[in-house]
Amino acid sequence: MAKFDLTAKNCQYLDRHLTFPLLEFLLQKNVFDQSSLLKFILETVSKTNMIDYKRDIRERLTQEKALPEELVQSRANVLVTLKELQAEVAPLMSCIEELKSPDSLKDSKSVIQTLQKKLGYDIILSAQKLAKYLYECGNYNDSLTYLYVCMMVMEPNDKNYLGVLWGKLAVEILTLNWPTALEDLTHLRDFIENYNFSPIQVLQQRAWLIHWSVLVFFNHAKGRDLIIDMFLYKPQYLNAIQTMCPHILRYLATAVIINRGRRNALKDLIKVIQQESYTYRDPITEFLEHLYVNFDFEGARKKLHECQTVIVNDFFIIGCLDEFVENARLMIFETFCRIHECITIGMLADKLNMKPDEAECWIVNLIRNARLDAKIDSKLGHVVMGTQPLSPYQQLVEKIDSLSVRSEALTLLVERKHKAKTQEAGEGHWKYY
């Protein structure tokens, strides 16, 4: 399934360290030639200070366990540089110890600001440099300590502040701290939207944030709703996806399929998929097109089988496989039932890629869990559908959910245009003086 592999496209928008889990995942799946992939990983890790990881990859590639002199010297150089940087920020160590103590959190910022006045701003830059160096060594937790200090002291208009925000998010992702990663993601998104970037720069920043956010959203309990709100209902991010990275539609489509509470987003998603079908298609987007545009149940059945292969080989969504299959089958079943009042179990099993006995048990469970109004005639092997009109209340709730998200996006757009107009008016007032 190398044809549908998105690793190369995704890695273009990820930090070097964030690509290592994806590349290791590919090694396990045997999608590409192992030797070529190991060589690429070795080339990539050589640009970092992760000496042990470099040795491990080299050993797997050459089968030689002896440590070459080059790596021995590299390790020595890394340790020397690390000691030098630690010496530069030694005056901050006592402050960092206070930050670790819960009793001193109230005064932590004032303590650092006082220290900054005494020692100068250079010590904060040294702390940032040390954080970056520790990160390059793979010491993510140690790096986080210094990044935290930098975030507390630096002003948002500092030219280094954006780099600290990206570094903090990367560390939280790599240490699998998803609740904090989501907070950092929100903070970074707000910063990008309010910073004075050029149109090209803000588009690039959004494209990077979109890819990093996929890692967070599919590992956070609230992520399945948030990814839909951000990618589908925030116009600036939908525009970035359509312009820079239409392959992200795979992850948006997956989120909508596995999220039963957001079925109202299907209509908007399918419009986007149809618009972008000339630039990007894969079995997941084609599954929705077959089912809801062409009403081709046979085509949807075949695509569902391909979807399983795609998901198994995709690092971002492999954890959603069972949910995806269950919900995709339910979507086929619901759509099929809107057309037919009486369905044979054999026909239904064929449409769902299931055996007749499995299909009957699956339908029984749906009825038992009050998710389906139907009866099973075991003698004739039929499923007789009950009438399932959507209540006016439910229709109203779905309309309100969609309108509230769009209203919020419209409000932000109006505010942004008003702010830009006000700034232009101010500049026009002073331009002759």
Side-chain angles (χ1 to χ4, degrees), residues 5 18 35 126 130 155 184 229 231 242 260 317 413:
D5 182 71
L18 293 176
S35 178
S126 296
L130 177 56
E155 296 295 333
D184 290 342
D229 293 338
F231 289 4
Q242 292 174 308
R260 293 172 188 166
I317 52 177
L413 184 62

Side-chain angles (χ1 to χ4, degrees), residues 399-409:
K399 290 282 187 183
I400 291 172
D401 286 343
S402 178
L403 286 172
S404 64
V405 175
R406 293 184 179 186
S407 299
E408 181 185 355

